[in-house]
């Protein structure tokens, strides 16, 4: 067991520690070979092709892992790009939804105006039909004025 002041010591072979560090580097850089790339300890031991128990004995490697996650978070570069793309798409979707709502309101207003004009036009046609049944006096032809 190590004292609290000393650095943790690996209880694994240098070859295993190197494999774990290489796997850790691949995961941090977003270049996994054997896993989905999420920054989990399960992916770390699978990426390094060692058992979970062996990984748990690599105290120094796990301390580096924990320090990196504390400093940089558990989001991979690919996940960060995805999150930025999702945020951009959500923003664009919100803008398009607002635009569609505005256009829908304009369409309803145009529909109402067209319906009102249609009814006014129908009333005028009916009035015109009623008025044409009255006697129409033809206009006399215009020509040069005759002196009286």
């Amino acid at each position: 067991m190590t004292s609290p002041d000393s650095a943790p010591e690996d209880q694994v072979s240098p070859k295993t520690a190197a494999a774990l560090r290489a796997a850790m580097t691949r995961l941090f850089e977003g270049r996994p070979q054997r896993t989905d790339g999420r920054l989990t300890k399960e992916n770390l031991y699978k990426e390094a092709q060692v058992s979970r128990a062996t990984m748990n004995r690599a105290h120094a490697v796990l301390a580096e892992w924990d320090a990196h996650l504390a400093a940089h978070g558990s989001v991979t570069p690919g996940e960060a790009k995805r999150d930025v793309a999702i945020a951009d798409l959500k923003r664009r979707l919100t803008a398009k939804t607002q635009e569609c709502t505005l256009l829908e309101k304009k369409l309803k207003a145009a529909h109402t105006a067209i319906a009102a004009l249609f009814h006014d036009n129908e009333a005028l046609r009916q009035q015109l039909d009623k008025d044409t049944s009255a006697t129409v006096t033809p206009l006399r032809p215009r020509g040069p004025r005759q002196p009286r």
Side-chain angles (χ1 to χ4, degrees):
M1 192 77 186
T2 60
S3 65
D5 295 348
S6 66
E9 190 175 306
D10 284 336
Q11 298 173 356
V12 294
S13 69
K15 180 180 175 186
T16 300
L20 282 165
R21 283 192 175 91
M24 188 167 49
T25 300
R26 285 194 306 274
L27 287 172
F28 290 154
E29 292 176 353
R31 301 179 294 107
Q33 294 176 347
R34 297 172 182 89
T35 63
D36 61 6
R38 289 179 297 123
L39 299 180
T40 63
K41 288 184 180 177
E42 180 179 3
N43 280 350
L44 176 61
Y45 73 79
K46 287 180 179 178
E47 190 70 28
Q49 292 186 308
V50 299
S51 70
R52 183 173 190 92
T54 300
M55 177 195 69
N56 286 337
R57 289 192 306 270
H59 301 290
V61 173
L62 290 178
E64 291 173 28
W65 174 268
D66 291 337
H68 185 277
L69 290 184
H72 299 97
S74 62
V75 179
T76 64
E79 290 171 332
K81 286 180 186 176
R82 178 204 63 207
D83 292 346
V84 167
I86 288 172
D88 180 55
L89 289 172
K90 283 182 179 180
R91 180 190 53 75
R92 290 173 49 202
L93 177 62
T94 300
K96 290 295 181 187
T97 302
Q98 289 172 346
E99 181 182 348
C100 285
T101 301
L102 177 66
L103 290 173
E104 192 172 284
K105 288 179 181 177
K106 287 182 177 182
L107 181 62
K108 285 180 182 178
H111 176 76
T112 303
I114 290 170
L117 290 171
F118 174 78
H119 291 296
D120 288 348
N121 194 19
E122 286 297 311
L124 288 171
R125 285 178 195 264
Q126 288 174 2
Q127 184 179 356
L128 183 62
D129 287 342
K130 191 190 289 184
D131 289 346
T132 56
S133 62
T135 307
V136 176
T137 307
L139 296 175
R140 57 189 166 151
R142 288 193 128 189
R145 283 191 161 199
Q146 303 284 332
R148 289 195 194 182

